[in-house]
Amino acid sequence: MRIWDLHCHLSGVPGLSPEERAGALLRIADRMGIERLCLYMGMRWAKNPSPQELRQQNDEVLRALKAHPDRLLGFVYTSAEHIEASLAELERCVAVGPMVGVKLWVAKRCHDPKIDPLIHRAADLKALIFQHTWIKTGGNEPGESTPADLVALAKRFPAVPMICGHSGGNWELGLQAIKDQPNLHADLAGSDPTWGITETACRLLGPGRVLYGSDCGGRSFASQLAKVHGADLSNADKELILSGNLRRLLSPILRAKGMAL
Amino acid sequence: MKRRTLLLSSSAIALARVHGEELASPAATLVDCQLYIGDHPRRDLPQFTPSSWAALGLKQGWVGHFGAFSSEANHQALNAELRQRCADLPGSVAAQSLDLSQQTWRRDLEAALAATARSKALLRLCPSLHGYDWKHPALGELLTLCSQRSLPVQVVAKFEDARTQRQDRPLPPLSLREVPTICERLPQLRLMLLNINATEAQVQLRGCRNLWLDSAMIEGAAGLAGLLGHWPKDRLCLGSYAPFFYAAALPLKLQEAGLPGLDHQALAHQNASAFLG
Ligand SMILES: [Zn+2]
């Protein structure tokens, strides 16, 4: 079964440079049979990054991509707090550069229409949009989106596929929140491997809207792969989740850029 | 409650192809130190059967009862059911429970030990769910007794990510502050903390020599190998926390660690055997 990992980072991985860290990540991914990794954000994170920090983190991912162009796929880190700077990063890293997706984290909640110019341009470029979401029992960060926030955004762009990062973390609530919005897809990454997440996602969204990701280096590949390998699903559904769906969502931009599928 | 059979697909056990090469599938040599039967208080989970047990490829599994999470459990009855269910699972070891906040705990303990083969006696406690902590006099008494009798004890340190807890039915974690003192006071005690994460191991539990951990909540890229850079190699065991967690994570974590042969064997089963005694 081919495995593409939707959700990887350079943080939490040994190595002093982006190149070293990407190499370390790939050596571990090799043990798990993972073919390609989507990579976003730099070696040191900022919850509300300045334009300069966005550029620096994207520069680090660009260095990693240059070292392993056949294995890594980059998503440009952007922020709805800095729309102009983020649009510039989108041009630099996706329109001109090799990146294929957009990562939005916790700087500003995504339900705010202020984010729309960024989504319009990303859609023009066919870049895949990934929005982190959580529903935390103790309360979210001020700028942290919930799955319901993402539904509000997805309704304004019904033809643009988007990923609901972590399926909302508390996936029993998150999957329910996004199930009726057909352009939203569930990212399985970055939560404990609690039994039932993958079966529930497939039941509520259908297996064509569920994607494997790890959130490595913060998470282990193993605990996150177990959500798919250990799920009570057919091999055909597991193939979709492990790589088929991501390859389908990325195929327009990979084809446009002449990159291998 | 609907019953499902725990599914452990063959792809989870012998899974990966790397550039066309089949990786070696782990033989039935693994010991899983943290398994459960019974009804989980919050989730409808699949149940182990002898066939799913065989499919996992375990040499041995230490099985507790989810019913022990309740503060109203009758542990003598629960342990009797557990022992009976374990009799149908070849290779299983009953991890019997006690609630030290109940007046009956000494009687429950004697019943548990009387019904168990000496070589397979094992206790699993959930203090935070039963409303007490390390400072409770009964826990001090029990741990002293376990140390004297060479009886291994597992203590569940946490149950779920704090960020996903249900506010109406929380499963609170246990403070770890007193653990180093207890380890120092009882150097012969065989104590295993379940569901510790790597940061807790490296910060709060650093230097605890006679303390074993399980792998269920050790995360990070090749996280088990990473932890072994800071934690004694003979004090880490595999534990899945299945069926609350997917059991498939257990062999996959070992595979991800990429350990050299001797360390691999230690983690796969030798450390667990040494703990059980
Ligand atoms: Zn992440």
Side-chain angles (χ1 to χ4, degrees):
Chain A
M1 246 179 240
R2 294 179 75 178
I3 306 175
W4 286 28
D5 192 321
L6 167 69
H7 190 154
C8 295
H9 304 295
L10 290 171
S11 62
V13 182
L16 297 174
S17 68
E19 293 85 353
E20 278 180 32
R21 290 192 184 195
L25 207 50
L26 285 168
R27 275 191 296 281
I28 301 166
D30 282 344
R31 291 180 201 143
M32 312 311 289
I34 303 171
E35 187 184 332
R36 298 182 89 171
L37 311 181
C38 296
L39 194 64
Y40 26 93
M41 302 165 72
M43 306 209 302
R44 272 182 59 191
W45 292 3
K47 283 178 181 166
N48 192 358
S50 65
Q52 189 191 343
E53 285 171 316
L54 287 173
R55 272 195 302 278
Q56 189 195 325
Q57 293 201 38
N58 289 326
D59 279 343
E60 289 170 2
V61 172
L62 287 167
R63 284 174 57 182
L65 297 182
K66 196 170 179 190
H68 303 279
D70 54 334
R71 301 286 303 279
L72 300 178
L73 296 160
F75 282 35
V76 61
Y77 184 23
T78 58
S79 162
E81 276 287 89
H82 302 289
I83 292 295
E84 289 308 317
S86 294
L87 283 166
E89 282 301 275
L90 201 49
E91 293 306 303
R92 182 175 78 98
C93 298
V94 179
V96 178
M99 294 198 193
V100 297
V102 174
K103 164 70 187 249
L104 288 151
W105 197 35
V106 296
K108 193 175 181 68
R109 285 169 61 193
C110 64
H111 68 315
D112 187 335
K114 198 181 157 199
I115 200 174
D116 289 2
L118 202 53
I119 306 299
H120 273 297
R121 184 59 184 141
D124 285 346
L125 294 169
K126 303 181 175 66
L128 183 58
I129 294 160
F130 182 106
Q131 171 67 62
H132 163 103
T133 69
W134 255 91
I135 305 170
K136 289 178 180 157
T137 299
N140 278 13
E141 302 276 344
E144 189 168 30
S145 300
T146 63
D149 291 336
L150 185 57
V151 169
L153 171 63
K155 279 184 194 298
R156 299 201 299 272
F157 295 88
V160 179
M162 299 178 191
I163 311 281
C164 179
H166 308 289
S167 295
N170 189 333
W171 51 265
E172 285 160 305
L173 302 177
L175 294 168
Q176 279 290 344
I178 65 168
K179 71 177 177 5
D180 295 326
Q181 190 59 40
N183 54 327
L184 288 185
H185 299 72
D187 160 43
L188 297 177
S191 55
D192 284 337
T194 40
W195 190 91
I197 179 175
T198 313
E199 292 89 341
T200 306
C202 286
R203 183 167 46 80
L204 294 177
L205 280 70
R209 287 169 58 200
V210 182
L211 288 86
Y212 156 73
S214 63
D215 210 356
C216 232
R219 289 280 173 178
S220 80
F221 288 116
S223 67
Q224 308 303 303
L225 280 170
K227 294 174 178 175
V228 188
H229 286 306
D232 188 3
L233 296 170
S234 70
N235 279 343
D237 287 350
K238 289 181 184 180
E239 285 199 60
L240 284 177
I241 296 165
L242 288 172
S243 65
N245 293 330
L246 180 56
R247 291 172 61 234
R248 186 185 73 244
L249 290 170
L250 286 174
S251 64
I253 192 165
L254 292 183
R255 284 215 179 86
K257 285 175 174 284
M259 293 165 75
L261 255 172
Chain B
M1 186 175 279
K2 199 172 75 195
R3 294 280 178 209
R4 292 192 211 87
T5 296
L6 190 70
L7 183 119
L8 299 146
S9 74
S10 55
S11 58
I13 307 304
L15 83 150
R17 276 177 190 278
V18 181
H19 307 307
E21 250 177 273
E22 196 79 43
L23 290 177
S25 55
T29 55
L30 307 180
V31 176
D32 187 338
C33 296
Q34 193 189 179
L35 291 164
Y36 295 86
I37 57 158
D39 293 338
H40 187 270
R42 277 186 43 180
R43 291 224 169 93
D44 178 16
L45 298 172
Q47 296 286 320
F48 279 107
T49 65
S51 63
S52 61
W53 185 269
L56 185 55
L58 294 184
K59 172 179 144 182
Q60 191 177 76
W62 305 352
V63 184
H65 200 304
F66 278 135
F69 285 14
S70 164
S71 57
E72 280 140 35
N74 174 340
H75 291 268
Q76 218 173 117
L78 214 55
N79 288 334
E81 186 200 333
L82 177 67
R83 290 190 302 268
Q84 196 173 5
R85 298 269 296 272
C86 283
D88 296 330
L89 286 171
S92 64
V93 173
Q96 300 187 86
S97 59
L98 295 173
D99 178 350
L100 301 185
S101 72
Q102 294 180 353
Q103 296 296 321
T104 54
W105 76 264
R106 289 181 192 83
R107 198 188 67 203
D108 296 343
L109 173 65
E110 289 314 318
L113 296 181
T116 312
R118 181 68 192 86
S119 61
K120 285 194 173 179
L122 173 66
L123 295 175
R124 185 178 295 170
L125 308 178
C126 305
S128 62
L129 298 187
H130 298 155
Y132 67 94
D133 61 18
W134 299 103
K135 295 192 284 283
H136 194 286
L139 184 53
E141 182 185 334
L142 177 75
L143 294 178
T144 302
L145 193 91
C146 289
S147 176
Q148 289 163 351
R149 292 202 200 174
S150 205
L151 183 63
V153 193
Q154 295 183 314
V155 174
V156 190
K158 74 171 90 60
F159 299 85
E160 186 174 355
D161 187 331
R163 299 170 300 174
T164 58
Q165 296 264 351
R166 259 175 62 171
Q167 265 153 341
D168 57 336
R169 284 156 82 187
L171 299 172
L174 181 65
S175 161
L176 302 175
R177 206 175 312 129
E178 295 84 3
V179 175
T181 313
I182 288 166
C183 289
E184 206 162 310
R185 182 171 71 80
L186 297 170
Q188 302 304 316
L189 178 66
R190 277 181 284 145
L191 176 64
M192 180 184 289
L193 293 186
L194 302 177
N195 296 339
I196 290 293
N197 66 37
T199 306
E200 289 162 342
Q202 288 169 52
V203 178
Q204 288 169 273
L205 304 174
R206 195 172 54 175
C208 293
R209 266 181 243 133
N210 50 328
L211 181 64
W212 280 256
L213 305 178
D214 89 324
S215 64
M217 289 196 184
I218 307 292
E219 285 288 344
L224 298 186
L227 179 60
L228 289 178
H230 308 269
W231 189 258
K233 287 181 175 170
D234 57 351
R235 290 291 187 270
L236 182 63
C237 301
L238 297 178
S240 69
Y241 194 16
F244 187 73
F245 284 1
Y246 287 101
L250 183 135
L252 290 170
K253 278 191 177 177
L254 187 61
Q255 180 175 325
E256 181 176 0
L259 296 169
L262 287 178
D263 293 348
H264 180 101
Q265 295 304 322
L267 187 53
H269 59 88
Q270 286 168 353
N271 295 345
S273 300
F275 174 78
L276 208 53

